[in-house]
Amino acid sequence: LTAESGEDGVFTFENIPYGDWLIKELQPADGYLANEEIYPVRISEKGQTIGITVVNDRIPEIGTQATVDGEKEICATEVFTLTDTVSYSHLIPGKEYVLVGTLMDKSTGKAFIENGNAVTAETVFTPETPNGTVTVSFTFDSRLIKENTSLVVFETLYKDGKELAVHADIEDEDQTVKVTVPEIGTKATVNGEKSATAKGDITIEDTVSYKNLTVGKEYTVKDKATCKPFLVNGKEVTSEVTFTAEKKDGEITVRFTFDGSAVTKQTDIVVFETLYRDGVEIAVHADIEDG
């Protein structure tokens, strides 16, 4: 026999033969989790009434807010910790739940991969109230990201190994953190000019402009004057400057000094630049045709 509960939650069976019976919920009401319990009853007399109470828990709901140090946009210069604040409702106080999160690449719709592995995180928690928040933290090396990327957090809530709720909307801005990649450009001159006579010491000033650095962090620019490559007395001409970014976008000057008399024929010298953060290359400007 089957029966459907009314608006008051009450259901009844009638004309049941004597004997032992099992009652089990087949389908919960909308918005509620199924009750898997089986209720045994014994019918032994006419007109007998037996009451049972079936408890259904509300289906949990979750939402997320992803940031890095409270920011929604970061520069690809650091090992960052992304914090996803997950709001939840309709949980059972005192029961253990697990949140499992994955960073997704919005451009591909697939998991964000670092060193061949998806970046994931997990938080185990026991709520004190049905509604609240909990954080899930993801650590990733943004220096390995070589193009502007939007990272989207997908979260799944589990209890006793069963999936209860999922928040996985690739278009949700609340779940998204944007990562912008540093850029560098240059302008090399000798005493403000683009040409010089090969005699005595020559100093090349290379003005390196940069974009999308993290303010307050230390960077190193390494320059190399090259022409397949450019050598003076058998050695490459190189220089480097370490600086702390005071602004997200700015410029720094790198100087080369070499003996111009060692250059015996007309030579076009091109400066290649590489920007490093903690020894990791994060931007390169190496265009042999750049005048």
Side-chain angles (χ1 to χ4, degrees), residues 33-84:
L33 294 171
N35 184 314
E36 301 294 338
E37 188 173 351
I38 295 177
Y39 300 86
V41 297
R42 172 171 290 181
I43 305 298
S44 57
E45 60 184 69
K46 185 176 181 180
Q48 181 178 359
T49 299
I50 299 175
I52 63 172
T53 300
V54 180
V55 177
N56 291 84
D57 297 318
R58 290 282 301 273
I59 294 176
E61 298 176 3
I62 57 174
T64 72
Q65 179 73 39
T67 63
V68 174
D69 296 329
E71 301 293 332
K72 297 293 289 181
E73 185 169 335
I74 58 175
C75 301
T77 66
E78 311 294 319
V79 176
F80 284 115
T81 296
L82 183 152
T83 300
D84 192 32

Side-chain angles (χ1 to χ4, degrees), residues 109-151:
K110 299 179 180 179
F112 170 68
I113 301 298
E114 180 177 290
N115 295 324
N117 299 309
V119 178
T120 62
E122 178 179 305
T123 294
V124 180
F125 69 104
T126 302
E128 297 181 356
T129 58
N131 305 331
T133 61
V134 66
T135 59
V136 183
S137 298
F138 303 79
T139 299
F140 65 100
D141 191 346
S142 70
R143 298 171 301 181
L144 304 178
I145 298 175
K146 300 305 180 185
E147 58 183 29
N148 294 343
T149 302
S150 290
L151 299 178

